[in-house]
Amino acid sequence: MKTKRHGAVLGLIAAGALLLTACGSDNNAPTGSTNSAAAGESSTPVECGGKSKLSAEGSSAQKNAMDTFVQAYQQKCQGADLAYNASGSGAGVKQFIGGQVDFGGSDSPLSESKGEVAGAAERCKGNPAWNLPLVFGPVALGYKLEGVTDLTLNGEVAAKIFNGAIKKWNDPAIAALNSSAKLPDKDIKVVYRSDESGTTDNFQKYLKAASKGAWTQGDGKQFKGGVGEAKEKSAGVAQAAGSVDGAITYVELSFAQDNKLSLAKIDNGAGPVELNDASVGKAIDGAKIKGSGNDLVLDLDSIYGSTEAGTYPLLLATYEIVCSKGYDADTAKAVKAFLTVAATDGQAGLAAAGYAPVPKAFQEKLLTAIKAIA
């Protein structure tokens, strides 16, 4: 995945609300050592050692972020490694609960109603699993429409597109939001995720919150709109949308950019908002935590339905799902080392990969939770 272009959109986030306290490290410490930072590096010590190669699986939305984290981990802890399989959030949760990987990656927290909370506790030997948000990123309404590169949508119109109530690009509802655009009399071709996806879940939650009742299909990791063409994983939907004129999809920013999709602005009631560093940073800065203790589940509903000017409301947070207790000693030590690096030094490379570094307040909460893993 080529990521060098992505910093143009999000490269300034750390200068604003999302102050990142950790910088990259190129200090290689022997396995088993305590790595304290020198000048210019993270000040958070990392207890390297334990299991030499961790395994994790899940969200494809965070694949590039995980690659960045692994690089930082290898630099910080000599001989350490992590293999990440970007199989999708649903598969990641299943593999974690089944004990096949050391931790899972998901764009949505564990679901109590689906039995995931109980299943994860059983996998963790009777201890609760924690949802730790390490990766934030905007979800783009990416489209390909010849002659139209400046398009505004709102929650209601987006909902009607993705449930089939609006079928043409020149529909009056779209035209009302885009008076200066020459919208063609062309069919809208929806592309959606076929696999279970936290991106789908977050997108449907946004539609539910922002559509003024136009989205009645509910949420969840399976797309429920009932229209369009299904493709697997983020790369699949972005590639499909980029190859067909008239297509639209929901996908993480980095994938939209890689496939040269145009990005729709979102009007949340206070005017069109472009997806950029300032609008994403403003949204993340307002995120609240609704989980208890070290289970850092975010309350994103207030963001999805926000009418605050200048806020881009469509984003997701990717969680690493870990056992609070229940690992063997070697696995626990390595998991804590990896997550500590990911929450500090690893965050420094995220803007260049199309993500937003965690806010300082979240970073502190993450480190507290990681330290408590046993």
Side-chain angles (χ1 to χ4, degrees):
M1 182 69 64
K2 297 179 180 179
T3 60
K4 61 184 180 181
R5 301 190 312 275
H6 304 156
V9 176
L10 292 173
L12 300 178
I13 288 180
L18 306 181
L19 294 174
L20 184 63
T21 61
C23 298
S25 168
D26 51 18
N27 178 41
N28 294 325
T31 300
S33 70
T34 299
N35 233 0
S36 296
E41 298 176 355
S42 168
S43 61
T44 303
V46 179
E47 292 284 349
C48 298
K51 190 175 182 178
S52 61
K53 186 169 183 177
L54 293 168
S55 62
E57 182 167 344
S59 168
S60 60
Q62 69 168 15
K63 176 61 168 64
N64 289 346
M66 291 299 293
D67 290 344
T68 299
F69 294 160
V70 170
Q71 280 188 329
Y73 182 45
Q74 291 171 336
Q75 290 176 347
K76 202 78 170 180
C77 298
Q78 184 177 3
D81 195 13
L82 178 140
Y84 185 76
N85 180 17
S87 59
S89 296
V93 171
K94 290 176 183 176
Q95 291 291 79
F96 172 74
I97 290 175
Q100 300 303 305
V101 293
D102 297 313
F103 63 88
S106 178
D107 305 332
S108 299
L110 293 171
S111 169
E112 186 169 2
S113 63
K114 291 184 177 180
E116 293 173 350
V117 172
E122 183 177 353
R123 179 257 196 269
C124 297
K125 300 180 180 178
N127 301 290
W130 289 339
N131 301 272
L132 306 182
L134 273 178
V135 182
F136 288 94
V139 177
L141 287 174
Y143 68 96
K144 182 177 181 181
L145 187 60
E146 186 177 353
V148 180
T149 57
D150 188 351
L151 181 75
T152 296
L153 300 174
N154 60 23
E156 182 178 1
V157 170
K160 290 180 178 179
I161 288 173
F162 282 89
N163 66 17
I166 292 177
K167 303 179 184 299
K168 293 280 190 179
W169 278 109
N170 63 347
D171 185 279
I174 301 178
L177 294 170
N178 299 275
S179 58
S180 62
K182 294 182 179 179
L183 299 170
D185 182 13
K186 185 173 292 184
D187 290 340
I188 298 174
K189 299 171 183 177
V190 169
V191 183
Y192 65 89
R193 287 281 293 267
S194 61
D195 52 322
E196 285 198 350
S197 163
T199 308
T200 298
D201 188 22
N202 280 270
F203 178 58
Q204 293 184 134
K205 285 177 178 175
Y206 160 73
L207 294 179
K208 184 178 177 182
S211 69
K212 299 179 180 179
W215 185 262
T216 60
Q217 286 73 22
D219 50 34
K221 293 179 181 178
Q222 287 286 359
F223 180 71
K224 299 177 180 178
V227 296
E229 179 183 7
K231 292 294 181 180
E232 190 175 12
K233 299 181 182 178
S234 298
V237 295
Q239 290 167 4
S243 64
V244 178
D245 189 43
I248 187 169
T249 192
Y250 56 92
V251 71
E252 300 78 22
L253 172 63
S254 59
F255 292 95
Q257 290 181 319
D258 279 345
N259 289 275
K260 297 180 172 60
L261 296 177
S262 297
L263 308 179
K265 298 174 183 176
I266 294 180
D267 188 342
N268 61 7
V273 179
E274 185 178 352
L275 195 172
N276 59 33
D277 58 317
S279 61
V280 173
K282 192 170 184 178
I284 297 176
D285 194 45
K288 307 297 182 183
I289 292 176
K290 65 180 181 181
S292 60
N294 289 319
D295 186 23
L296 305 181
V297 177
L298 299 168
D299 180 4
L300 296 176
D301 286 347
S302 60
I303 295 177
Y304 297 143
S306 173
T307 58
E308 186 175 357
T311 297
Y312 185 84
L314 181 50
L315 54 82
L316 60 80
T318 294
Y319 297 90
E320 312 314 326
I321 300 171
V322 303
C323 290
S324 58
K325 296 180 181 179
Y327 291 119
D328 62 77
D330 282 346
T331 301
K333 189 170 187 177
V335 167
K336 292 172 73 172
F338 175 81
L339 294 177
T340 300
V341 173
T344 54
D345 291 41
Q347 295 286 313
L350 291 189
Y355 303 96
V358 293
K360 181 179 179 180
F362 285 175
Q363 185 186 60
E364 293 171 351
K365 291 179 183 296
L366 283 168
L367 291 173
T368 296
I370 292 165
K371 185 177 181 180
I373 294 172

